[in-house]
């Protein structure tokens, strides 16, 4: 099935399935029924069957799902069998935290360059990488051909940087700036992250009671 035919809500659930299946695999599970998986994930068995049917026949009647096989299939759908080269703009508080703590390689990406506009940060080490100057992005992109970028820069800088990054071949953004990326370029993917929205949702949850 073409990716475009899969609903966004199913795609949003796939990383969670992948994570749960990884935990099951680590705990020695070889197979699991949709009912048992549903119980563990707080979903319904029919929801799980419906989701997996979007991609083909993964389960077998009376057997359930092979945990390792299903995880590998979902990983393939998510593109985790490849590693897209990625760069990070902004080696400040957030950029450093992400570069140090996100397991890029297990999530389909390879972080290959970190850039900052502050000369005092240039040359500093973050994990295996050394922060480079933003002035060097163009040359770096021409040589190493990154396809994705993380934006951890001030909102005001984002618009200009996005335009030039696209012109250097970047086609996907993991965007933490609060700049709403209304990129008109058709092939560019954007995943906006607003941690504050998640906290606001928690506020809603504790302030809404079933009276
Ligand atoms: P920070 O001030 O610690 O780091 C920003 C870094 O960007 C600085 O090192 C600065 O020199 C660098 N920079 C500025 N212009 C640049 C450019 N054109 N190219 C490359 N580097 C450039 O700020 P912090 O706390 O790390 O936040 C970064 C961004 O992320 C801000 O826009 C902030 O509002 C946003 N943020 C978003 C969150 C979210 O959930 N979406 C959570 C926290 C921060």
């Amino acid at each position: 099935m073409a990716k475009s035919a899969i609903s966004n809500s199913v795609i949003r659930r796939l990383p969670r399935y992948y994570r749960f299946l990884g935990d099951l695999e680590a705990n020695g599970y070889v197979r699991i029924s949709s009912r048992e998986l549903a119980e563990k994930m707080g979903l319904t068995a029919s929801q799980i069957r419906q989701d997996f049917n979007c991609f083909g026949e993964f389960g077998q009647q009376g057997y359930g799902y092979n945990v390792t096989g299903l995880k590998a299939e979902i990983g393939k759908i998510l593109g985790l069998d490849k590693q897209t080269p990625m760069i990070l703009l902004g080696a400040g508080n957030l950029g450093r935290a992400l570069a140090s703590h996100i397991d890029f390689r297990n999530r389909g990406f390879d972080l290959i360059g970190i850039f900052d506009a502050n000369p005092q940060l240039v040359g500093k080490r973050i994990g295996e990488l050394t922060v480079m100057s933003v002035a060097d992005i163009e040359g770096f992109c021409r040589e190493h051909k990154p396809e994705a970028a993380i934006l951890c820069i001030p909102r005001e800088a984002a618009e200009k940087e996005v335009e030039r990054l696209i012109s250097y071949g970047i086609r996907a953004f993991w965007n933490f700036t609060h700049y709403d990326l209304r990129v008109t370029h058709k092939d560019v993917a954007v995943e906006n992250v607003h941690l504050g929205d998640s906290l606001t949702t928690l506020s809603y949850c504790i302030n809404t009671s079933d009276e």
Side-chain angles (χ1 to χ4, degrees):
M1 177 176 282
K3 268 193 184 166
S4 55
I6 301 164
S7 84
N8 202 35
S9 50
V10 176
I11 292 166
R12 297 261 157 213
R13 284 195 285 274
L14 289 185
R16 190 158 174 256
Y17 286 129
Y18 186 80
R19 183 160 45 81
F20 265 80
L21 289 164
D23 287 347
L24 290 171
E25 193 181 36
N27 284 313
Y29 278 74
V30 175
R31 65 175 166 156
I32 191 161
S33 67
S34 46
R35 189 183 46 75
E36 201 182 349
L37 186 58
E39 268 166 25
K40 287 187 184 300
M41 297 188 66
L43 298 169
T44 65
S46 73
Q47 167 88 82
I48 285 183
R49 282 193 296 268
Q50 243 175 45
D51 283 356
F52 294 167
N53 281 345
C54 288
F55 306 109
E57 283 298 315
F58 287 145
Q60 272 173 36
Q61 198 78 36
Y63 175 86
Y65 299 102
N66 175 289
V67 171
T68 302
L70 181 58
K71 177 173 164 263
E73 286 298 333
I74 293 178
K76 228 186 277 171
I77 292 160
L78 289 168
L80 305 184
D81 51 337
K82 300 177 218 105
Q83 288 198 339
T84 301
M86 184 177 222
I87 57 173
L88 164 68
L89 265 73
N93 293 311
L94 184 60
R96 277 200 307 274
L98 294 175
S100 309
H101 298 295
I102 297 288
D103 184 357
F104 290 94
R105 292 197 177 118
N106 275 321
R107 293 193 159 75
F109 292 92
D110 185 14
L111 184 64
I112 59 169
I114 302 178
F115 298 87
D116 202 284
N118 179 352
Q120 292 186 333
L121 292 179
V122 173
K124 294 255 187 287
R125 298 281 299 178
I126 302 179
E128 295 168 6
L129 298 171
T130 302
V131 178
M132 292 174 272
S133 163
V134 273
D136 296 330
I137 289 187
E138 182 174 1
F140 183 91
C141 290
R142 294 210 190 293
E143 189 177 342
H144 299 283
K145 308 206 171 356
E147 293 170 36
I150 313 170
L151 299 179
C152 292
I153 55 180
R155 180 185 193 147
E156 316 78 72
E159 185 171 4
K160 187 182 99 216
E161 294 298 356
V162 163
E163 286 307 315
R164 75 179 184 124
L165 289 171
I166 290 171
S167 76
Y168 301 156
I170 298 291
R171 56 185 184 88
F173 291 90
W174 196 23
N175 176 33
F176 286 83
T177 75
H178 299 296
Y179 165 62
D180 204 355
L181 278 179
R182 293 194 197 290
V183 184
T184 47
H185 308 262
K186 180 152 111 315
D187 296 329
V188 173
V190 180
E191 182 66 21
N192 294 312
V193 184
H194 296 288
L195 296 175
D197 287 1
S198 171
L199 188 58
T200 310
T201 307
L202 182 63
S203 166
Y204 170 81
C205 295
I206 57 167
N207 288 297
T208 310
S209 55
D210 306 329
E211 280 162 30

